[in-house]
Amino acid sequence: RIATLVEDDQQAVQLIFLSALNRMPSETELSKFVEFMQDKQGNARRRAIGDIYWAILNSTEFSWNH
């Protein structure tokens, strides 16, 4: 849904963090993930958003805090 509803990569990353970790990403996290999504469109962008989401859901922070 995020890929469909949000065209701005920075906002998409922020929404992923808010929905998964209930916090905003740090500047470093935001820049790395936005860089990862750079120049991706269509299915490639949807896969990138899914990859970021799964990386966060598999993180130590998610498993210990949620």
Side-chain angles (χ1 to χ4, degrees):
R1 286 189 180 247
I2 291 173
T4 304
L5 298 173
V6 180
E7 293 182 15
D8 179 54
D9 292 342
Q10 183 170 340
Q11 188 179 11
V13 172
Q14 290 171 338
L15 286 174
I16 293 167
F17 269 78
L18 284 173
S19 65
L21 299 177
N22 207 26
R23 69 171 177 84
M24 295 296 282
S26 69
E27 288 297 320
T28 303
E29 291 166 333
L30 183 61
S31 66
K32 292 292 182 183
F33 285 126
V34 169
E35 181 182 328
F36 174 71
M37 292 178 60
Q38 188 174 12
D39 299 326
K40 290 183 174 67
Q41 297 177 1
N43 285 335
R45 184 172 183 269
R46 283 190 283 282
R47 282 192 303 273
I49 288 174
D51 290 345
I52 293 169
Y53 217 105
W54 278 111
I56 290 172
L57 292 178
N58 286 305
S59 71
T60 304
E61 180 179 356
F62 182 82
S63 64
W64 282 95
N65 290 334
H66 300 284

